[in-house]
Amino acid sequence: MNVAKRMAAIFLSTMMLLTLAACSGKPSADEMSTLIEQNMEESFTSQTGLTDLFQVENLQKLDAREEDDGKKYIADLSFDLVANKSAAQVNQALSMKGYVIQMTLGELLANVMGSREWEAGYKKTIKGTFTFAKTEKGWKLIQ
C-alpha cells in the first residue's frame, strides 16, 4: 500500500471513530451545561426580558442512567451557577424596562442565588437531578 492510500485509510478510520463518538447515547458535560444555561435563560428572559443573567461552570456528573432505549438521560449533577450581573444591575435593568419587581420574581432570584444581594461573579453550587431527552435535533433538557 502506498503512502497516500495509507494516509487516506488512517484519515477515514479516524473520521469514523469521531463520528461514532459524536453519536454516543449520552449528552456531554458541555451539552448539559449549555442546555441548563439555555433553559434558565429562557425562563428568566420570558419573565423579565433580561438576558445573560447566569452561566454554568464546573459541571460534574455525580451519577447517571439511560432510560427509554437511550432516548432519555437522567443525570445527578453538581455545578456552579455564576451570576453575570449583580442584584443591583438586575433591579436597575428591570426598572428601566418598566418592570416593578414582584415579590415572586424577587423571591425566585433570591432562591436561585441563595441571597437577596449578590455581586456579578457570585457563585452558588447547585445539585440536582436533570432529565435530558434525545430529539431529532439533539439533546433537550426536559426536567
Side-chain angles (χ1 to χ4, degrees), residues 43-51 53 85-109 118:
S43 295
F44 285 105
T45 300
S46 69
Q47 293 180 43
T48 66
L50 299 180
T51 60
L53 293 175
K85 298 177 174 140
S86 69
Q89 289 171 313
V90 170
N91 290 336
Q92 181 181 16
L94 287 172
S95 65
M96 288 176 67
K97 289 179 171 277
Y99 285 90
V100 175
I101 295 183
Q102 299 172 352
M103 186 61 146
T104 54
L105 179 57
E107 288 297 318
L108 180 60
L109 289 170
W118 68 87

Side-chain angles (χ1 to χ4, degrees), residues 7-8 26 30 35 38 53 67 73 83 107 120 132 143:
M7 293 299 287
K26 305 173 192 171
D30 285 342
L35 291 167
Q38 288 173 346
L53 293 175
E67 288 185 357
Y73 189 72
E107 288 297 318
F132 302 87
Q143 184 181 24

Side-chain angles (χ1 to χ4, degrees), residues 27 32 36 59-66 72-79 127-132 141 143:
M32 289 187 283
I36 292 168
L59 184 129
Q60 295 177 349
K61 181 174 55 175
L62 306 174
D63 196 13
R65 68 184 181 280
E66 292 181 48
K72 279 189 184 175
Y73 189 72
I74 301 167
D76 295 331
L77 304 175
S78 174
F79 57 87
K127 289 184 181 180
T129 301
F130 297 81
T131 303
F132 302 87
L141 177 63
Q143 184 181 24

